[in-house]
Amino acid sequence: MASSLVCKVHTVVLFSVIDAYERRNEDAKRVIGTLLGVCEKGVVEVTNCFAVPHNESDDEVAVDIEYARNMFELHKRVNNNETIVGWFSTGSEVSVHSVLIHDYYSREAKNPIHLTVDTFVRGGKMGIKAYHSTSIGVPGKTTGTMFTPVPVEIVNYEPEQVGVEVLQKGKYNSKRLVKLNSDLRQVENLSVWLKDSLVHVIQYVDDVLSGKLPSDNVTGRFLLDLVTGVPHIEADKFEEMLNANMKDLLMVVYLANLTKTQLALNEKLSTL
């Protein structure tokens, strides 16, 4: 049975879940935690999370509810817009204990989301699933809980996307280390990428005009909107504006390096 809800999970949440799993106790099979975010018009957007200590055995499960409430109060002081929207657990299964934990979060949030993250990376892919609960049974008699799947989308803010792209570069390094580029290096890389993109677009337009490639109305409208969206600036004024901005950037970099050197000298002098 399909669900009308949609769960959007930010990448920083997945990193937090994996970090909590890596830091778990040796005897812990999985970790659980609280999901924070916003819920509007049938869309649950998970923007943050934190792990909650718990003990789990074949017969029983115990969750540190006091810790979960204290952590939520601390998060509210930082971001008052985030509310409890559900909880997460590592693994790919929904167990009997999951029903008990979900009952607690049902008291903390209306129709909470249960997110499962498969940290074993089966098949070379980390499985991510979301559910919401529905009561089943006969009123006044035996009742139960059914978990209905919810569509999951991975979204991110621009800073999160930059962080993910930087981390992905670590897979090309045998030591899994990533060195952050300086501001000038980033400007250089983006300038090279922009130049290559312009060359590719110009070549495509020339091929269409010469008849080598068939014309595409969708692409043509997109390029027209792109060209008309760029303000017309004379070459001399554009070069003057670019040089002024570059001088400001160089001045900031120079002052930052000067401050770093001054702090290093003061540290050395204090140890003499």
Side-chain angles (χ1 to χ4, degrees):
M1 181 173 62
S3 172
S4 58
L5 285 176
V6 176
C7 181
K8 296 184 177 181
V9 183
H10 283 253
T11 51
V12 67
V13 175
L14 301 179
F15 280 109
S16 298
V17 173
I18 296 173
D19 180 68
Y21 181 76
E22 292 294 327
R23 297 172 183 270
R24 74 190 188 282
N25 296 329
E26 295 182 358
D27 57 342
K29 296 181 180 180
R30 67 171 181 170
V31 295
I32 68 170
T34 301
L35 297 176
L36 303 175
V38 294
C39 181
E40 293 181 355
K41 299 179 180 179
V43 178
V44 179
E45 185 171 358
V46 185
T47 56
N48 208 339
C49 70
F50 60 86
V52 177
H54 84 295
N55 294 320
E56 195 170 1
S57 63
D58 295 336
D59 301 327
E60 60 181 4
V61 59
V63 180
D64 193 341
I65 297 177
E66 190 65 25
Y67 176 90
R69 290 174 176 171
N70 291 336
M71 284 295 295
F72 177 58
E73 291 299 326
L74 292 174
H75 273 271
K76 284 178 60 178
R77 296 181 182 181
V78 178
N79 191 344
N80 194 36
N81 295 327
E82 292 181 342
T83 60
I84 297 178
V85 295
W87 67 287
F88 72 84
S89 68
T90 56
S92 58
E93 298 179 354
V94 178
S95 64
V96 177
H97 294 164
S98 297
V99 178
L100 300 176
I101 300 173
H102 198 81
D103 287 341
Y104 160 70
Y105 281 96
S106 297
R107 297 191 295 269
E108 300 294 327
K110 183 179 179 180
N111 199 11
I113 291 292
H114 175 34
L115 184 72
T116 61
V117 181
D118 185 9
T119 51
F120 288 99
V121 194
R122 295 180 176 88
K125 185 177 181 180
M126 185 170 62
I128 303 171
K129 298 180 180 180
Y131 307 88
H132 76 95
S133 64
T134 304
S135 298
I136 58 175
V138 180
K141 295 184 179 180
T142 303
T143 60
T145 301
M146 180 178 66
F147 284 90
T148 305
V150 175
V152 179
E153 298 179 12
I154 306 300
V155 297
N156 51 64
Y157 299 123
E158 290 186 3
E160 292 176 338
Q161 181 64 32
V162 173
V164 171
E165 292 177 354
V166 172
L167 290 174
Q168 285 180 337
K169 297 178 181 178
K171 63 183 179 181
Y172 303 111
N173 191 321
S174 59
K175 296 182 179 180
R176 295 295 188 265
L177 297 177
V178 180
K179 184 179 180 181
L180 295 178
N181 294 328
S182 63
D183 293 341
L184 290 177
R185 179 65 64 181
Q186 292 182 14
V187 171
E188 179 184 1
N189 293 338
L190 290 175
S191 298
V192 172
W193 173 82
L194 181 60
K195 179 181 177 182
D196 294 340
S197 300
L198 290 175
V199 170
H200 181 73
V201 170
I202 293 174
Q203 183 63 44
Y204 170 79
V205 174
D206 291 340
D207 291 341
V208 171
L209 294 177
S210 62
K212 295 181 180 180
L213 292 175
S215 61
D216 181 47
N217 293 333
V218 176
T219 305
R221 293 190 185 96
F222 177 79
L223 292 176
L224 179 62
D225 294 339
L226 183 64
V227 173
T228 55
V230 177
H232 179 70
I233 304 177
E234 297 181 2
D236 295 338
K237 292 184 178 179
F238 179 78
E239 184 176 358
E240 181 181 355
M241 179 182 64
L242 181 63
N243 290 333
N245 292 333
M246 188 62 67
K247 289 178 181 178
D248 293 339
L249 178 60
L250 290 174
M251 178 60 68
V252 172
V253 173
Y254 170 76
L255 292 175
N257 291 332
L258 183 63
T259 303
K260 186 185 300 183
T261 304
Q262 183 67 32
L263 292 174
L265 287 174
N266 290 337
E267 184 179 356
K268 294 292 184 182
L269 292 175
S270 63
T271 58
L272 296 177

